[in-house]
Amino acid sequence: MTDKPSQPIIEFSNVTKRFGTLTVLDDFNFKVAKGEKVTLIGPSGSGKSTVLRILMTLEPFQEGRLALAGMSYHEPNGKGPFKASEKHLHQIRSHIGMVFQSFNLFPHMTVLRNVVEAPVRVLGLPRGEAECRAVDLLAMVGLADKKDHYPSQLSGGQQQRVAIARALAMRPRVLLFDEPTSALDPQLVGEVLSVIRGLAHEHDLTMLLVTHEMRFAREVSDRVCFFDKGRICEQGEPNAIFGAPKEERTREFLQSVLS
Amino acid sequence: MNWTAYLPMLWQGAVVTMTITLSAILFGVILAFVFGILRVEGGPILSKVALCYTEVFRGTSLFVQLFWFYYALPLVGLSFDPITTGILVLAAHAGGYGAEIVRGALSSVSVQQMEAARALNFNRLQTLFRISLPQAVVEMMPAFGNLTIETLKLSSLVSLISIADLTFSAQSIRNITLDSTSIYSVTLVCYFAMSLMLMVVVRVIERMVRRGNAFPRAAHS
Ligand SMILES: Nc1ncnc2c1ncn2[C@@H]1O[C@H](COP(=O)(O)OP(=O)(O)O)[C@@H](O)[C@H]1O
Ligand SMILES: [Mg+2]
């Protein structure tokens, strides 16, 4: 690794992202320190998911610079929409995991295989070793007894916990959560949040979390960023943002979600 | 002479029909997967090649294809016996339709599944063979079931290149006995029995593909 302790693990510098003529991120700057837990809040359509999706290389961006652990997303002579080779993107992705709003477990695989498949195929771990680790991870999310079930046999909350175990099995340094509890029935939100809360204590893991669970955000984040129209309108410690927001837009937003 | 004396001949015809149909489906399914996958993952050139294949075999009549292969191929030095020709043409025909089934099912796998695969760093081939295809195959089964029955029915056209299949035998027997009603009734029952058998086989395969509880039964199946 080329990163030094002082260097941010994620660094967006003047990034511009457009969908056709719609500019979603305009001259966007954003840094995250190693191990930092950052929550992105803001109205729907303000570009929060786009930030995560760009990091996960699910979306290319047009201008500016993005680096992960000192590794630039664009290669000097990179071609295609990502301006980088598949091999380069593969290397970047090896440091990042993502948990999606809709879980996206593989429906044709058991819970255990969902967690084991990528470590075996992508990292080349021996199956036995991968299974041992998978069972540990499933125990951590409280689902060791469900390992032979198929996703369709699980509740949404259980599926999301499997999805978290699946992402962790790849040993990411950065974990992205895009509204992990938004698709869940209210009574299932708690079990997923408590798993994420557990991860927030992991010192080395950098976390980027998009959520509408404001109380939770306040509790687990080192920093909260309020997004509005593709910009970070205000950011700071949770107590500052939730307790004494400076910007009018932040106050309006918090009022609308907390009332 | 009573038509029942010719039943062994009809039976032989039925065996030929079944052999041709099963072989054509087997090769047809292989062609369908090869060209269907190429349509989706073949890149700019190979996907066009696959498109040409499907359009040619879906866009021209099987009747003409049979005669063309039977009479034109020998002119370029490729000659097969009638049965092989019949199997190849039926397989290519089924493959053309099957490739569309495979392409459709592959592109119906949700974008979210692709993104999950990408987030876990699976490469393109791994995503295809471990994530999309296993899910797509389930979607394909009903359509492949129809294609199987369709192929059985179309196989009667091979009688036109003088293959003694069920239809050909029925016609021969009718020409001798002049008892059209009886002989075609029996033939009809034979085709129906074969289609039932094929449907049962397809159902069994479909159940295997669904693998127990992996997929809640979709509303359309
Ligand atoms: N694939 C896409 N094509 C076109 N526009 C998109 C696409 N994805 C997102 N957008 C637009 O980008 C903007 C930001 O979206 P998003 O990042 O999903 O917002 P958020 O997650 O904050 O709700 C929205 O206006 C949305 O409509
Ligand atoms: Mg979003």
Side-chain angles (χ1 to χ4, degrees):
Chain A
M1 271 303 96
T2 52
D3 52 333
K4 305 164 212 74
S6 58
Q7 186 186 36
I9 189 160
I10 295 167
E11 188 166 14
F12 284 79
S13 314
N14 311 101
V15 167
T16 296
K17 164 70 187 171
R18 295 184 208 94
F19 288 107
T21 54
L22 176 73
T23 302
V24 176
L25 298 179
D26 189 9
D27 206 19
F28 181 72
N29 289 291
F30 181 49
K31 283 182 196 168
V32 179
K34 189 172 169 219
E36 201 180 3
K37 319 291 186 253
V38 180
T39 305
L40 315 183
I41 61 169
S44 158
S46 58
K48 307 178 300 293
S49 297
T50 302
V51 168
L52 302 196
R53 293 170 55 79
I54 286 176
L55 273 166
M56 194 66 255
T57 75
L58 299 177
E59 292 285 353
F61 57 96
Q62 284 75 35
E63 278 156 44
R65 198 172 166 280
L66 171 59
L68 180 93
M71 218 183 341
S72 174
Y73 274 52
H74 289 170
E75 285 186 301
N77 298 314
K79 296 203 170 45
F82 287 92
K83 301 187 196 133
S85 65
E86 189 47 42
K87 192 174 153 218
H88 184 73
L89 297 174
H90 192 274
Q91 197 180 357
I92 289 173
R93 281 195 295 267
S94 70
H95 299 293
I96 315 179
M98 183 156 178
V99 174
F100 300 88
Q101 183 175 345
S102 50
F103 334 133
N104 305 355
L105 293 181
F106 304 127
H108 57 298
M109 297 181 188
T110 62
V111 163
L112 185 69
R113 259 198 76 201
N114 261 281
V115 181
V116 157
E117 196 68 5
V120 170
R121 306 284 166 199
V122 178
L123 303 180
L125 284 191
R127 186 167 289 273
E129 188 186 330
E131 284 183 357
C132 279
R133 281 183 41 195
V135 169
D136 287 348
L137 285 167
L138 287 171
M140 194 191 86
V141 301
L143 290 170
D145 56 328
K146 300 283 190 216
K147 71 183 172 66
D148 297 320
H149 286 54
Y150 283 96
S152 61
Q153 299 170 304
L154 303 184
S155 72
Q158 292 171 330
Q159 290 188 51
Q160 192 62 297
R161 287 187 277 151
V162 174
I164 294 171
R166 181 177 72 171
L168 287 171
M170 295 299 280
R171 294 192 193 269
R173 310 170 71 197
V174 176
L175 195 49
L176 312 172
F177 293 89
D178 193 0
E179 301 196 26
T181 58
S182 295
L184 298 177
D185 292 338
Q187 75 273 18
L188 302 178
V189 168
E191 61 188 60
V192 172
L193 291 186
S194 73
V195 168
I196 301 175
R197 188 179 292 119
L199 292 175
H201 298 306
E202 302 250 340
H203 186 69
D204 285 338
L205 184 68
T206 307
M207 268 172 43
L208 240 61
L209 171 73
V210 175
T211 187
H212 293 298
E213 302 287 334
M214 296 301 153
R215 284 233 311 264
F216 183 72
R218 187 167 190 165
E219 179 193 339
V220 300
S221 324
D222 299 317
R223 174 162 51 123
V224 176
C225 300
F226 171 66
F227 271 66
D228 191 39
K229 303 197 179 79
R231 294 177 167 278
I232 296 177
C233 173
E234 182 171 359
Q235 59 179 316
E237 287 190 1
N239 287 336
I241 296 289
F242 292 110
K246 293 192 182 65
E247 300 288 329
E248 183 57 32
R249 281 295 296 131
T250 319
R251 270 196 293 272
E252 276 170 24
F253 173 75
L254 289 176
Q255 233 154 41
S256 73
V257 292
L258 292 176
S259 60
Chain B
M1 200 176 176
N2 193 299
W3 63 270
T4 47
Y6 293 94
L7 276 181
M9 184 169 161
L10 207 60
W11 169 253
Q12 269 172 15
V15 170
V16 170
T17 289
M18 210 56 183
T19 309
I20 290 181
T21 303
L22 287 178
S23 321
I25 289 165
L26 185 70
F27 290 124
V29 166
I30 294 172
L31 290 173
F33 274 93
V34 170
F35 286 102
I37 288 171
L38 285 180
R39 277 293 299 283
V40 183
E41 288 286 331
I45 295 163
L46 285 176
S47 70
K48 292 278 172 1
V49 172
L51 179 66
C52 281
Y53 163 77
T54 55
E55 292 309 309
V56 165
F57 278 93
R58 292 190 324 145
T60 60
S61 87
L62 178 63
F63 184 87
V64 178
Q65 288 164 20
L66 267 173
F67 279 102
W68 190 84
F69 271 75
Y70 192 59
Y71 292 108
L73 277 191
L75 298 182
V76 295
L78 276 172
S79 74
F80 300 107
D81 61 273
I83 295 231
T84 311
T85 307
I87 290 173
L88 286 179
V89 174
L90 262 182
H93 190 82
Y97 281 92
E100 266 310 293
I101 296 172
V102 172
R103 185 200 62 78
L106 274 178
S107 38
S108 78
V109 175
S110 74
V111 178
Q112 281 99 327
Q113 288 287 307
M114 299 304 173
E115 292 184 343
R118 198 166 156 84
L120 290 166
N121 233 341
F122 288 110
N123 66 30
R124 256 174 78 172
L125 279 184
Q126 290 168 332
T127 304
L128 174 64
F129 286 105
R130 311 218 165 260
I131 313 295
S132 350
L133 259 186
Q135 296 183 53
V137 166
V138 180
E139 294 297 312
M140 295 172 201
M141 287 312 296
F144 268 127
N146 291 341
L147 186 64
T148 301
I149 304 303
E150 201 57 38
T151 304
L152 169 67
K153 292 193 280 186
L154 285 172
S155 75
S156 63
L157 284 175
V158 301
S159 60
L160 295 167
I161 55 170
S162 71
I163 295 173
D165 74 332
L166 182 56
T167 299
F168 187 92
S169 309
Q171 277 164 343
S172 315
I173 299 166
R174 194 208 65 110
N175 289 344
I176 303 165
T177 63
L178 301 176
D179 182 358
S180 303
T181 312
S182 311
I183 195 67
Y184 282 125
S185 302
V186 177
T187 309
L188 204 73
V189 171
C190 284
Y191 271 113
F192 185 59
M194 288 193 275
S195 72
L196 276 184
M197 275 168 9
L198 288 175
M199 273 190 250
V200 168
V201 173
V202 170
R203 279 287 141 74
V204 170
I205 296 175
E206 185 171 352
R207 197 157 306 158
M208 273 160 48
V209 163
R210 279 184 185 275
R211 244 175 284 160
N213 298 315
F215 290 89
R217 243 168 212 295
H220 62 262
S221 61

